[in-house]
Amino acid sequence: MKTKLLLLLLIFVIAKTDAQQQIYSFNSLTPLRFIEYKDNIFFLSGNDDTGRELWKSDGTTGGTSLVKDIYPGKENGGQDLLKKRSAILNDKLFFIGKDETSDGEIWKTDGTASGTIKVTNFLKGRVWTITAVGNSIYFLLKTENILQVWKTDGSSEGTVLVKDNLPIWNEVTFEGKCNNTFIFTFQPYLSNNSRVWRSDGTADGTFAITGEIDGNGSGPGGTSALSQYIENGDKLYFVSRYSLFETDGTLNNTKAISSLWNAQATLVNYSTVIKVDNNLYFLFFAADNYRIEIWRYNLENKNTSVVYSGFGSKYFFPSNAVKSDNSLLFCGPNNTGGTSLLSMDLNNYSIAALQELSPAAPRPFIFFEDFNVATIYPINNNDYFITSAVDEKYERKGWIFNKDKHTAENISALNNVWDAIVYKNNLYYGKDNVFWKYANNLSTVSIDKQPLLSVYPNPSSDFVNINTNNDYTIESAQVFDLNGKLVSNISDYKNNKVDISRLPNGIYNMQIKVNGSYSVNKKIIKK
């Protein structure tokens, strides 16, 4: 009796602390670049026989499958920029894919293999970003020091050149939209500054709407790049070296409207912006000065003010800012030289330190946003997932902050998570070649820490046996191929064998339901 109670207690503790469920296991590539489309999660992953390709999932093992092997064989067909640089037009997902004929073309998909089609055939890997504006997808094609503006309606015949012969230096630093107009920013040839351009899809309607202006250091591409673009209504806002700009996509209504952080004196390493109610909050971080500031711009009265200024005695890492009730959550300095999760009350702008995330963050020799910035994910109205910046071993910690309890707990299962998505109020992420789900209300036992059962022989040519402790009852066993297709389903499990003799040789995922509430995943091999 004591043994049974101990086992049940162990299961409860593991389920409570890890609260993770294995959705799908890959044999070589960790899932990443998650986006939501058609009520599914789309992402890039794969196995040895496919390479990194486009997959989708409804959050279940049975609902996880390969969309299409774009580059047949072991080569990667999915480009790593799916998360930030895809677009949706006319209920189709557009993205950049690679196949045996090109290093990168525009593709579109409706989520099915037959509906995944290549749109262009001439880009040859020279386009990385696509933007949906109105009824078109816009993209920029650079050849040496010349930039071209293109648009497509999603068909080969509807892909046309809009404007040619724009002299450019370095790379395009922004592509977005405003007021049904395509907006883009680049560095003119032989210039140290940037200009913002617009296009309505015609040659005459494609022109610069700013003079040459300089950035604050936090934009992509160095100090010439502008930063903190945010669309609000029919306006687009962005930040230069020391000014906030506003545009409606026309030349006459593009102007500097306020002063912000003065980067002439102190360059910025990282910046972000968030809209809350009728205010825009601009966050600036200067690594060399251990300094962080948040500026507020009121969209109604047009006033600008500094609402938070923080200085660390030592280096600390920044994060994005997210809204939590009537507060902003972000990472900043604490009184002991470390980095804490901070909360700023938007009524009076008072600061509360919620949890120390790092007692001494290592100062990077070169600051990279992908490594040196923490990310806060709002999961639901109460829970937030936080990934820290990397430490000296290039590892990062994962935290769950509970707003009601005012607690933040380091969850070992969430350490070293590099990409995640919040889907239907649950956290999904890739780690160690596995697609995982995390939620506080999960009753799934971590298979790495508590082996409820064993599957043998494995590999097998005919049957696999499932051996479990007498305390547990197996209710069902399902077998899925590596494309997520259900190939065997035993819903009323009455013996300890699963027949796999009719399955083709290969690797399969078996999902076993135990005691009506626990799910355990095992990888099996049919030989």
Side-chain angles (χ1 to χ4, degrees), residues 152-279:
T152 180
D153 63 1
S155 66
S156 297
E157 60 276 11
T159 302
V160 296
L161 176 65
V162 174
K163 186 94 171 182
D164 199 357
N165 297 318
L166 304 181
I168 181 175
W169 211 14
N170 296 321
E171 302 298 327
V172 176
T173 56
F174 174 76
E175 296 176 52
K177 66 181 180 69
C178 168
N179 233 0
N180 217 32
T181 303
F182 178 49
I183 306 293
F184 57 103
T185 305
F186 66 92
Q187 196 174 346
Y189 186 65
L190 299 180
S191 171
N192 291 322
N193 300 312
S194 292
R195 296 188 79 180
V196 180
W197 286 64
R198 56 96 69 186
S199 178
D200 64 359
T202 68
D204 290 341
T206 302
F207 50 83
I209 55 176
T210 69
E212 294 189 10
I213 48 182
D214 203 3
N216 60 29
S218 65
T223 57
S224 66
L226 309 179
S227 63
Q228 291 148 291
Y229 295 84
I230 184 169
E231 190 177 4
N232 179 63
D234 61 353
K235 301 290 179 61
L236 179 72
Y237 297 85
F238 56 92
V239 177
S240 70
R241 181 160 289 238
Y242 32 70
S243 297
L244 173 63
F245 279 75
E246 175 189 82
T247 183
D248 64 358
T250 67
L251 178 61
N252 291 337
N253 293 323
T254 301
K255 56 190 176 183
I257 57 173
S258 177
S259 297
L260 286 179
W261 173 293
N262 187 347
Q264 194 67 33
T266 305
L267 288 175
V268 180
N269 295 92
Y270 169 73
S271 64
T272 187
V273 59
I274 182 175
K275 179 180 182 290
V276 180
D277 299 327
N278 290 315
N279 297 289

Side-chain angles (χ1 to χ4, degrees), residues 307-360:
V307 296
Y308 171 71
S309 184
F311 293 86
S313 60
K314 298 178 182 178
Y315 176 82
F316 61 92
F317 56 75
S319 73
N320 62 320
V322 302
K323 181 179 182 296
S324 175
D325 290 336
N326 201 41
S327 298
L328 279 186
L329 297 179
F330 60 96
C331 293
N334 59 32
N335 295 328
T336 60
T339 304
S340 285
L341 177 66
L342 305 180
S343 174
M344 182 173 69
D345 190 322
L346 296 180
N347 291 315
N348 54 26
Y349 301 115
S350 61
I351 296 293
L354 303 177
Q355 174 71 42
E356 183 174 72
L357 303 180
S358 172

Side-chain angles (χ1 to χ4, degrees), residues 129-146:
T129 301
I130 55 180
T131 305
V133 184
N135 295 318
S136 299
I137 295 286
Y138 285 80
F139 58 96
L140 302 174
L141 180 60
K142 180 189 173 189
T143 304
E144 296 182 350
N145 294 317
I146 296 297

Side-chain angles (χ1 to χ4, degrees), residues 411-435:
I411 307 296
S412 61
L414 298 178
N415 289 343
N416 295 315
V417 170
W418 288 81
D419 198 11
I421 188 173
V422 175
Y423 171 72
K424 296 184 178 180
N425 292 327
N426 289 306
L427 182 72
Y428 292 82
Y429 58 96
K431 181 180 176 181
D432 300 329
N433 300 338
V434 175
F435 182 40

Side-chain angles (χ1 to χ4, degrees), residues 360-374:
R363 181 179 175 181
F365 180 70
I366 300 177
F367 189 92
F368 291 106
E369 183 175 336
D370 288 345
F371 298 103
N372 305 121
V373 175

Side-chain angles (χ1 to χ4, degrees), residues 4-235:
K4 289 184 179 182
L5 289 174
L6 180 60
L7 285 170
L8 290 174
L9 179 61
L10 181 59
I11 290 173
F12 173 79
V13 171
I14 293 173
K16 180 65 176 176
T17 56
D18 281 349
Q20 65 171 344
Q21 177 183 356
Q22 178 179 297
I23 301 299
Y24 205 91
S25 177
F26 297 88
N27 60 27
S28 62
L29 297 169
T30 294
L32 47 73
R33 308 297 184 257
F34 304 102
I35 60 173
E36 186 171 345
Y37 165 65
K38 280 194 171 182
D39 201 33
N40 276 257
I41 303 171
F42 281 68
F43 59 95
L44 301 177
S45 192
N47 296 295
D48 290 336
D49 57 343
T50 63
R52 193 178 297 281
E53 299 289 349
L54 184 65
W55 285 68
K56 68 177 181 179
S57 176
D58 64 359
T60 68
T61 300
T64 302
S65 62
L66 174 70
V67 176
K68 185 169 184 174
D69 190 359
I70 294 173
Y71 198 146
K74 297 183 179 181
E75 298 291 335
N76 296 330
Q79 298 285 5
D80 280 352
L81 300 174
L82 176 68
K83 182 177 182 179
K84 294 182 178 179
R85 300 178 179 178
S86 56
I88 297 175
L89 178 68
N90 297 328
D91 206 32
K92 300 290 192 300
L93 174 66
F94 288 76
F95 61 97
I96 305 296
K98 175 183 176 181
D99 63 11
E100 61 272 24
T101 66
S102 173
D103 284 338
E105 300 291 340
I106 296 177
W107 288 69
K108 66 179 179 180
T109 184
D110 62 0
T112 67
S114 60
T116 303
I117 304 166
K118 184 160 61 172
V119 176
T120 62
N121 287 288
F122 63 94
L123 304 184
K124 307 300 180 184
R126 296 175 293 170
V127 170
W128 293 99
T129 301
I130 55 180
T131 305
V133 184
N135 295 318
S136 299
I137 295 286
Y138 285 80
F139 58 96
L140 302 174
L141 180 60
K142 180 189 173 189
T143 304
E144 296 182 350
N145 294 317
I146 296 297
L147 189 68
Q148 297 176 336
V149 182
W150 288 76
K151 70 176 182 178
T152 180
D153 63 1
S155 66
S156 297
E157 60 276 11
T159 302
V160 296
L161 176 65
V162 174
K163 186 94 171 182
D164 199 357
N165 297 318
L166 304 181
I168 181 175
W169 211 14
N170 296 321
E171 302 298 327
V172 176
T173 56
F174 174 76
E175 296 176 52
K177 66 181 180 69
C178 168
N179 233 0
N180 217 32
T181 303
F182 178 49
I183 306 293
F184 57 103
T185 305
F186 66 92
Q187 196 174 346
Y189 186 65
L190 299 180
S191 171
N192 291 322
N193 300 312
S194 292
R195 296 188 79 180
V196 180
W197 286 64
R198 56 96 69 186
S199 178
D200 64 359
T202 68
D204 290 341
T206 302
F207 50 83
I209 55 176
T210 69
E212 294 189 10
I213 48 182
D214 203 3
N216 60 29
S218 65
T223 57
S224 66
L226 309 179
S227 63
Q228 291 148 291
Y229 295 84
I230 184 169
E231 190 177 4
N232 179 63
D234 61 353
K235 301 290 179 61

